[in-house]
Amino acid sequence: MQKREIIKVKELSRGVESIVGIMYGHPELKAFVVQKGATPDTVTEAAKEKPFEPPRVVEMLSVSAAVLPFFRIYGYSKGSVMTHDIVRKLLTKYVKESELQDQQNREMVAIDPLLADMVLMRGENKICMKWEELTSRLQNKMQAAYQIVYPGKEPISKKGKLQPISLSIQQRGGNKKVTYITNLETYGIDAHEFAHRVQIGVACSTAVSALPGSNAGTQVMVQGNQVNYVAGLLCSHYQLNKKYITGLENAPKKKKK
């Protein structure tokens, strides 16, 4: 700015330069315009961090070969994915249409041949069953599935169980320990941004590396046993339910007084 003759700088004391003049008539200063409504408060608001929005997870069930005869009645095929609530509704519909509910004790359901093939174990000869047990047995014969919805995106349905975020501890030379965090990407968490937060939060070194194998994701390595801090960060800032985190038992044990 001194070279462009916007300000004048003078060495008032040895090694210390100070601004002694501002050329307010300079064309660049005259051309400078402050945006209307721009105040320190509005700038602060704009700089505020947008809260993390976690994906919505819905635990579902998939039609297996063992239960296909039942679900085929209602137009479903093997591999069809549905919520637990739909399974309960279809079972209720079938029981009522087939008049299997005990009229004297409405908690009990008669087991017809179709239900027997699905829910009875080998050698079991039950002729009736409570609603709760019948529903549970039917769902247990189905395969686990889930639906995950990332903000602003279409739902994604997958078979199998949703893999949780894993927190594990490894011993290094001497008594040094490191914490490994994997599967952050499944929950929409950027591994590098997460590592930076942990680094600042516990003032320790972190590193991000790719896991072996194609599309295996990344892992975050944190110096020391930081399970408590990491779990707290995932639950508070990233708003995840603890049931989607494993390895919490690896947290440092509280010292006895």
Side-chain angles (χ1 to χ4, degrees), residues 25-71:
H26 194 283
E28 289 188 36
L29 289 183
K30 286 184 176 182
F32 181 76
V33 178
V34 177
Q35 289 186 355
K36 209 170 185 179
T39 65
D41 289 337
T42 57
V43 173
T44 302
E45 285 296 319
K48 278 186 178 178
E49 184 182 12
K50 186 180 178 181
F52 178 82
E53 188 177 350
R56 184 168 59 87
V57 177
V58 181
E59 294 180 358
M60 306 182 80
L61 294 167
S62 173
V63 176
S64 64
V67 299
L68 180 57
F70 171 77
F71 287 99

Side-chain angles (χ1 to χ4, degrees), residues 201-234:
V202 292
C204 67
S205 63
T206 62
V208 179
S209 59
L211 290 167
S214 59
N215 301 319
T218 58
Q219 68 176 0
V220 175
M221 186 274 292
V222 185
Q223 186 180 29
N225 186 332
Q226 308 297 348
V227 169
N228 280 331
Y229 180 83
V230 168
L233 184 64
L234 290 169

Side-chain angles (χ1 to χ4, degrees), residues 12-30:
L12 298 180
S13 59
R14 189 175 180 182
V16 179
E17 293 184 337
S18 303
I19 298 173
V20 295
I22 300 175
M23 304 297 104
Y24 291 104
H26 194 283
E28 289 188 36
L29 289 183
K30 286 184 176 182

Side-chain angles (χ1 to χ4, degrees), residues 2 19 44 76 83 85 114 116 158 170 174 181 195 206 241 257:
Q2 184 180 6
I19 298 173
T44 302
Y76 291 94
T83 62
D85 189 50
L114 178 62
K158 293 187 177 182
Q170 284 191 17
I181 305 102
T206 62
N241 191 308
K257 293 182 178 178

Side-chain angles (χ1 to χ4, degrees), residues 50-241:
K50 186 180 178 181
F52 178 82
E53 188 177 350
R56 184 168 59 87
V57 177
V58 181
E59 294 180 358
M60 306 182 80
L61 294 167
S62 173
V63 176
S64 64
V67 299
L68 180 57
F70 171 77
F71 287 99
R72 189 184 281 139
I73 296 172
Y74 300 104
Y76 291 94
S77 57
K78 185 180 178 182
S80 296
V81 174
M82 64 193 74
T83 62
H84 288 69
D85 189 50
I86 289 177
V87 174
R88 283 191 291 269
K89 286 180 178 178
L90 291 177
L91 181 59
T92 301
K93 180 179 175 68
Y94 177 80
V95 168
K96 288 184 176 180
E97 289 176 344
S98 303
E99 298 181 348
L100 298 176
Q101 188 172 20
D102 191 318
Q103 298 304 307
Q104 302 301 319
N105 184 355
R106 302 186 71 82
E107 288 187 5
M108 303 300 293
V109 176
I111 304 299
D112 69 358
L114 178 62
L115 293 177
D117 286 342
M118 292 191 300
V119 304
L120 293 185
M121 294 180 283
R122 184 176 295 180
E124 196 174 18
N125 296 311
K126 282 189 175 183
I127 59 172
C128 60
M129 195 177 290
K130 283 189 174 182
W131 272 107
E132 186 178 347
E133 184 181 4
L134 176 61
T135 304
S136 176
R137 287 197 183 197
L138 175 61
Q139 292 178 343
N140 287 339
K141 286 295 183 75
M142 301 179 74
Q143 295 175 338
Y146 65 91
Q147 185 183 80
I148 189 163
V149 187
Y150 297 101
K153 296 184 179 180
E154 291 295 315
I156 300 171
S157 296
K158 293 187 177 182
K159 294 178 184 178
K161 289 186 177 181
L162 177 64
Q163 293 302 308
I165 291 174
S166 172
L167 312 181
S168 59
I169 302 297
Q170 284 191 17
Q171 191 94 16
R172 290 288 179 88
N175 198 31
K176 294 180 180 178
K177 295 179 180 179
V178 292
T179 305
Y180 285 100
I181 305 102
T182 58
N183 207 33
L184 292 168
E185 294 88 350
T186 297
Y187 298 85
I189 300 173
D190 180 88
H192 290 87
E193 186 268 345
F194 180 83
H196 181 64
R197 282 189 180 277
V198 176
Q199 184 180 35
I200 293 173
V202 292
C204 67
S205 63
T206 62
V208 179
S209 59
L211 290 167
S214 59
N215 301 319
T218 58
Q219 68 176 0
V220 175
M221 186 274 292
V222 185
Q223 186 180 29
N225 186 332
Q226 308 297 348
V227 169
N228 280 331
Y229 180 83
V230 168
L233 184 64
L234 290 169
C235 294
S236 58
H237 178 77
Y238 294 99
Q239 303 175 55
L240 293 184
N241 191 308

